[in-house]
Amino acid sequence: MKSVYTTFGMSYKLELSTRPKKALGEKALWDRAEAALARAMDAFAGKGGWKINPGDGAFYGPKIDIKVMDAMDRIHQCATVQLDFQLPIRFNLQYTTDNREKGEQFARPVMVHRAMLGSVERMFAVLCEHYGGKWPLWLSPRQVKLIPVHKDWNDYCEKVRDRLHDEGFYADVDLTKATFQKKVRNAQIEQYNFQLVVGEQEVNNGSVNIRTRENKVEGEKKVDELIDMLKQMKAEHK
């Protein structure tokens, strides 16, 4: 869980949701389950690193609710870990133990419902809100756009685009008749992570001139250096 939400750049807080008014099973079993989850949360987050959410457990068992905060500190309920003592009882589930004593050969398992993202569709909506449309390169549906300053450099841009495609990156070329400034602006509005500007110098040098969607000019890089940079960003989830 920590790895998942750190990768997305989201903070989170933990809550232990305890026995609701309408619940299956004996109270002693619930107390035992809640105590087990409390110990697990102490080990993970430390004492005081979580809080109790009384009466909000599922009808079949207590649960750990993970509430994540997006870039605007809005709270979303996504991941959850739930203990279920009831379904194994109802299905009469048993497993073989190492104990050979009569009546001790079998024991009852505990079912764990574990969801790190919740529903994929809901998590996608949360990430849309979190990133505000500015997806990091490793998730971005629009990673790179090549912008020739003149039609003479269109063929070179298409070759670079094909090279990027072969390396596993999404790349487009703006072959429209719009002005250079308009092409750059359109690419930034469309949230391409990088705009690669190509003129005569870049063609002669086998390079591109890099701009970010925030209009920061990062300068000229060889195509091989660009690919290495993109691969590193992808590997580091940036």
Side-chain angles (χ1 to χ4, degrees):
M1 185 200 73
K2 184 177 182 180
S3 174
V4 168
Y5 288 100
T6 299
T7 298
F8 288 135
M10 304 176 83
S11 57
Y12 57 86
K13 59 183 181 180
L14 306 174
E15 293 182 354
L16 173 56
S17 297
T18 59
R19 186 174 185 265
K21 290 182 179 179
K22 294 183 179 180
L24 292 177
E26 299 176 358
K27 185 177 183 303
L29 196 56
W30 276 83
D31 292 342
R32 176 184 161 202
E34 290 169 6
L37 289 182
R39 289 194 300 271
M41 293 173 74
D42 283 341
F44 178 76
K47 291 187 177 181
W50 55 277
K51 68 176 186 178
I52 292 179
N53 184 17
D56 201 41
F59 69 90
Y60 50 77
K63 59 181 179 173
I64 298 173
D65 286 325
I66 296 97
K67 296 185 176 178
V68 301
M69 279 76 78
D70 63 20
M72 298 179 66
D73 285 332
R74 292 171 295 191
I75 296 175
H76 304 275
Q77 172 65 57
C78 295
T80 185
V81 179
Q82 303 175 4
L83 281 190
D84 187 348
F85 285 86
Q86 304 306 320
L87 282 181
I89 294 172
R90 292 190 165 216
F91 285 111
N92 194 29
L93 300 181
Q94 294 180 320
Y95 64 91
T96 303
T97 69
D98 292 332
N99 197 329
R100 299 300 181 185
E101 293 182 21
K102 188 176 181 180
E104 300 293 331
Q105 299 99 322
F106 300 96
R108 184 84 65 194
V110 175
M111 187 177 292
V112 178
H113 302 265
R114 176 181 177 270
M116 285 298 96
L117 300 180
S119 73
V120 174
E121 296 85 353
R122 188 167 184 275
M123 189 66 202
F124 182 74
V126 170
L127 289 175
C128 286
E129 294 284 341
H130 176 56
Y131 292 124
K134 296 183 182 296
W135 296 90
L137 180 79
W138 73 282
L139 280 177
S140 180
R142 292 176 169 173
Q143 295 173 318
V144 173
K145 191 162 208 177
L146 287 116
I147 300 174
V149 299
H150 191 274
K151 65 180 182 179
D152 290 348
W153 322 129
N154 287 358
D155 290 345
Y156 175 82
C157 287
E158 289 180 324
K159 289 178 181 178
V160 174
R161 177 201 60 196
D162 293 343
R163 174 84 186 279
L164 290 168
H165 280 177
D166 291 342
E167 296 291 345
F169 296 100
Y170 182 88
D172 279 329
V173 182
D174 190 335
L175 300 177
T176 67
K177 295 180 179 180
T179 64
F180 166 72
Q181 291 83 359
K182 182 68 172 176
K183 289 180 180 181
V184 171
R185 182 60 180 155
N186 286 343
Q188 290 170 351
I189 291 173
E190 291 166 351
Q191 299 297 341
Y192 284 87
N193 297 74
F194 295 104
Q195 299 95 53
L196 308 181
V197 179
V198 174
E200 183 176 6
Q201 177 177 310
E202 286 75 27
V203 173
N204 292 335
N205 294 339
S207 62
V208 292
N209 205 293
I210 304 172
R211 290 176 181 239
T212 69
R213 63 185 164 203
E214 289 79 25
N215 205 30
K216 178 183 177 183
V217 179
E218 296 194 352
E220 188 176 353
K221 278 186 184 292
K222 296 283 189 181
V223 174
D224 287 340
E225 294 174 343
L226 166 72
I227 290 172
D228 289 341
M229 180 190 78
L230 296 178
K231 284 182 176 179
Q232 183 175 356
M233 291 181 68
K234 189 175 180 180
E236 295 175 355
H237 300 108
K238 292 184 177 179

